[in-house]
Structure formats: structure tokens, C-alpha cells
């Protein structure tokens, strides 16, 4: 079955590529800006998850959350930006959503399990963004 014309039109529309990358990386960009404007909150968040020294981890988080989306949205070094956010997302999922350490059957474990696998889905999205960008680059 062929793709409907209106879907082809949406997929061929040049802004769709940018909007898809913005949708995938926008939460990270916003998170970086919020942390940058609320340094004390960013440090407290890292301390909450046991990351020490918290200020160093806050600075690294801000750097990744701002640089990764900037690379993805600029269309330059997309593989690097996607890789940064993918690794960051995996690390964050393991740190913040360690469902395997929680009581079986608990609401906390249920929520953490869902969040963990949602993060894996985001990582898959970053891999796809890198693949599409590389294919577009090879097409020239």
C-alpha cells in the first residue's frame, strides 16, 4: 500500500524535519535553560539523585541539555548531538528510574518502570535522527 498523498506532502515539507527534531529535543533545551536560570535548583536536583559533586553534575547537565539540541536543530554534527542526548538519557533513566530497586507491585515501581522505558524510546528517537541526518548528508 502506498503512502497517502497528504502524508507524502507533510513528510516532504521541509519544516517537518526541523519540527520533528524540535519535538524530540525541545524538552532538553527547555530543561537546560530552566537549570541555567535556576542554578540552585539545578544543583539541588543533582544532589537529590545522589550525584556528587552536585555543582559539577549540574554544569555538565546544562552543557549537554543546551549543546545536544543546538547541534540537532542546526543540522550540523547531528550524530554528536543525538549521541550526547542519548547517552545522557540512558544515564538519567538508570539514575532516576531504577525500578529494579523498588518494591515489586508498588506504585513507585510502576511509575519508574514506565518512565525508564519511555526514556529508552527517546534514545531510539535520537538514533533515528542521527540515521536520517546521515542519509540526508550522503545524498548531498
Amino acid at each position: 500500500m502506498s503512502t497517502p498523498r497528504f502524508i507524502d506532502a507533510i513528510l516532504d515539507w521541509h519544516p517537518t524535519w526541523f519540527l520533528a527534531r524540535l519535538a524530540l529535543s525541545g524538552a532538553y533545551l527547555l530543561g537546560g535553560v530552566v537549570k541555567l536560570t535556576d542554578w540552585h535548583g539545578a544543583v539541588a536536583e543533582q544532589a537529590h539523585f545522589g550525584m556528587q559533586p552536585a555543582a559539577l553534575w549540574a554544569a555538565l547537565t546544562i552543557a549537554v541539555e543546551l549543546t545536544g539540541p543546538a547541534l540537532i536543530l542546526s543540522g550540523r554534527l547531528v550524530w554528536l548531538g543525538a549521541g550526547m542526548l542519548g547517552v545522557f538519557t540512558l544515564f538519567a533513566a538508570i539514575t532516576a528510574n531504577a525500578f529494579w530497586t523498588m518494591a515489586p507491585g508498588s506504585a513507585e515501581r510502576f511509575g519508574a518502570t514506565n518512565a525508564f522505558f519511555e526514556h529508552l524510546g527517546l534514545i531510539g528517537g535520537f538514533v533515528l535522527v542521527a540515521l536520517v541526518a546521515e542519509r540526508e548528508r550522503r545524498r548531498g
Side-chain angles (χ1 to χ4, degrees):
M1 179 176 201
S2 64
T3 306
R5 282 187 181 182
F6 77 96
I7 298 295
D8 271 338
I10 291 168
L11 295 176
D12 286 340
W13 187 50
H14 185 69
T16 299
W17 173 227
F18 178 81
L19 292 172
R21 290 177 291 155
L22 180 61
L24 181 62
S25 63
Y28 296 87
L29 185 59
L30 180 61
V33 170
V34 168
K35 288 173 181 72
L36 189 61
T37 59
D38 180 11
W39 175 250
H40 295 294
V43 173
E45 178 184 49
Q46 297 303 314
H48 169 76
F49 289 114
M51 306 301 293
Q52 294 299 330
L56 173 64
W57 286 106
L60 289 172
T61 297
I62 291 166
V64 168
E65 287 187 330
L66 294 178
T67 305
L71 292 172
I72 289 171
L73 294 173
S74 74
R76 304 192 75 192
L77 299 175
V78 173
W79 64 269
L80 180 59
M84 290 170 67
L85 291 177
V87 170
F88 171 80
T89 300
L90 180 60
F91 186 66
I94 291 168
T95 302
N97 299 301
F99 66 90
W100 53 89
T101 66
M102 299 171 187
S106 67
E108 180 185 31
R109 183 178 179 140
F110 180 81
T113 301
N114 283 341
F116 182 85
F117 286 100
E118 287 170 357
H119 281 77
L120 291 184
L122 286 169
I123 294 166
F126 289 124
V127 171
L128 289 172
V129 163
L131 286 169
V132 170
E134 181 60 18
R135 286 191 179 160
E136 288 297 313
R137 187 190 67 76
R138 288 180 185 177
R139 279 184 173 166

